[in-house]
Amino acid sequence: MKIEDKQFLNDMVVQLDETIKKLVDEERTVANKIGADRVTELKEFWKQELSEEDEKFFKMTLDYWDKMLIRIWARSKRIHHTRAQVGQTFMKLNSKLEG
């Protein structure tokens, strides 16, 4: 792997870690605005633990902050997945260099 590629991956890790920290702060802020009970309900919805009928009704109750928290969770999930992939790439690279 080229030095530029390694640097790119390293820069990507730094950027992803910063984004994760930012999302954690945003999640905390929004969760505080909507309250623990609503966050619990949203987590059940997010984890698809509601019946189909309950889910349909629940969707009608979503407001701006509810949707914002769900978007944060979705983005966080994608960012964590990407961060894991970059970490795996580094691990594979290091094992090739050592082997």
Side-chain angles (χ1 to χ4, degrees):
M1 181 175 268
K2 297 177 187 176
I3 292 174
E4 303 89 37
D5 294 337
K6 288 182 191 179
Q7 185 59 45
F8 172 78
L9 288 174
N10 189 54
D11 292 346
M12 189 175 192
V13 165
V14 170
Q15 187 176 32
L16 289 167
D17 287 346
E18 288 175 8
T19 301
I20 289 169
K21 288 176 188 176
K22 180 182 170 195
L23 289 170
V24 167
D25 289 341
E26 288 177 14
E27 179 181 358
R28 187 178 304 118
T29 299
V30 173
N32 286 336
K33 286 182 188 225
I34 63 177
D37 290 340
R38 186 61 175 176
V39 171
T40 300
E41 293 172 349
L42 287 167
K43 283 182 182 179
E44 290 173 2
F45 173 74
W46 174 251
K47 294 176 182 179
Q48 298 178 333
E49 296 174 349
L50 302 175
S51 69
E52 188 175 326
E53 186 176 312
D54 288 343
E55 184 176 323
K56 285 180 185 179
F57 175 75
F58 190 80
K59 284 180 181 180
M60 293 187 304
T61 69
L62 295 175
D63 68 8
Y64 173 81
W65 292 111
D66 296 338
K67 292 175 185 176
M68 180 64 69
L69 187 56
I70 291 169
R71 280 192 285 270
I72 290 168
W73 289 340
R75 186 164 181 226
S76 181
K77 183 178 178 179
R78 285 191 309 272
I79 296 294
H80 277 92
H81 178 74
T82 302
R83 176 61 175 88
Q85 287 180 318
V86 173
Q88 290 171 353
T89 301
F90 267 127
M91 288 171 55
K92 287 177 186 175
L93 175 66
N94 287 335
S95 69
K96 287 180 183 178
L97 294 175
E98 293 173 1

